[in-house]
Amino acid sequence: MQRNSGKTITELIKSRINLTMEIIRTIHDMTEFSSRQRGRGAVMGFVPTMGALHEGHLSLVRKSVKENQVTIVSVFVNPVQFNNPDDFKMYPRTEEEDFRKLAAEGVDAVFAPMAEEIYPDGLDKPGKTYELGKAAEVMEGIHRPGHFQGVARIVDLLFRIVRPKRAYFGEKDFQQIAVIRNMIKNEGIDVEIVACPIKRADDGLALSSRNSLLTPEMRKVAPEIHATLKYSVDYSKEHSVKATHDTVVEHLDAIPGMRVEYFEIVDARTLAPIEEWEESPWIVGCITVYCGDVRLIDNITYRLPN
Ligand code: PAF
């Protein structure tokens, strides 16, 4: 790690923030920390993130702090889950600010490794291929080839290093949660996945690290995504699945600068597209929209089992 006046970057950050939270950079130290916690019988909650933390992440952290004796958060922009190198380059990075926020929430340890620590053989060496089920073959699985294999690779590794009892994920990434559940089932990993509701700005825009990349013009119109989805729930009561789908896409595509990449109305249990409302008791609409160059995702529930 780079040195500056005899101190590592981690020591410098720690001294500036005056933290009691551990900042851990290596797999060895992370494994030791979590073994020590397990050894003293502590129940551990884990929140994996890619940093650029916002209230959505912090709501997961707060839930973990409340429900577990020890909370560990990872901050790692995982290169192998980006199918587009520019997207990886542009992804916001705000490490010191992230650490400050996590310390203020009472997090016990943050795991923030370098890419070389996680992928010592380089990024080009393919990892193992995970069995992720049909849920990984639709929507993001089609539009971001390799993305879910990359997510599975890092989440599998993090779970094996941290070995938490519970792990917290936001429902904005609805499909990601389904894929991670499939991954841990197939890998025999014993972690309870806790799905947490989407957090929104006052104007309805789903909180996302990518929102900071929006131009002021696109930030003004981006709330139309949620507004349109919300409107479509009422519309769906009198209209077919296809008509509901089309009205959402037509409305958003008509907004200058916006382009719907996909909108799928799916059975929330399998993520398979549906054609009739009667096909499932639990139905969700998942959308990805380009707002200028920024790719935003969101979802809405149409039907929920009683
Ligand atoms: O949802 C995310 O931020 C990432 O996909 C995750 C789960 C931290 C893996 O890199």
Side-chain angles (χ1 to χ4, degrees), residues 48-50 57 74 76 78 81 91 147 150-151 154-155 158 169 173 176 180:
T49 81
M50 297 208 296
H57 296 113
S74 63
F76 179 63
N78 176 33
Q81 73 183 72
Y91 200 84
H147 168 66
V151 170
I154 188 66
V155 173
L158 291 170
F169 293 89
D173 297 290
Q176 172 170 271
I180 289 172

Side-chain angles (χ1 to χ4, degrees), residues 54-74:
H54 50 67
E55 273 299 309
H57 296 113
L58 298 181
S59 71
L60 312 182
V61 169
R62 284 177 201 131
K63 194 164 164 59
S64 175
V65 169
K66 208 158 131 197
E67 295 179 349
N68 303 279
Q69 285 152 319
V70 168
T71 290
I72 298 164
V73 177
S74 63

Side-chain angles (χ1 to χ4, degrees), residues 261-272:
E261 185 174 57
Y262 67 79
F263 175 50
E264 298 276 359
I265 299 178
V266 301
D267 182 332
R269 300 163 305 179
T270 60
L271 303 191

Side-chain angles (χ1 to χ4, degrees), residues 231-250 263-265 274-279 283 302-303:
Y231 161 80
S232 79
V233 173
D234 278 344
Y235 185 90
S236 75
K237 293 180 183 141
E238 305 285 328
H239 295 84
S240 67
V241 172
K242 182 172 177 347
T244 304
H245 169 274
D246 292 352
T247 200
V248 167
V249 175
E250 277 160 27
F263 175 50
E264 298 276 359
I265 299 178
I274 58 150
E275 286 177 4
E276 307 289 340
W277 296 117
E278 294 69 34
E279 274 176 52
I283 297 173
Y302 289 102
R303 306 278 187 275

Side-chain angles (χ1 to χ4, degrees), residues 50 77-79 81-93 140 143-144 147 209-210 213 290 293-296:
M50 297 208 296
V77 185
N78 176 33
Q81 73 183 72
F82 286 80
N83 54 312
N84 172 352
D86 288 338
D87 190 22
F88 174 63
K89 228 185 293 156
M90 292 297 292
Y91 200 84
R93 288 156 172 93
E140 295 293 283
H143 293 275
R144 299 186 72 187
H147 168 66
S209 304
R210 292 174 194 275
L213 302 173
Y290 274 96
D293 293 335
V294 183
R295 189 176 185 273
L296 299 182

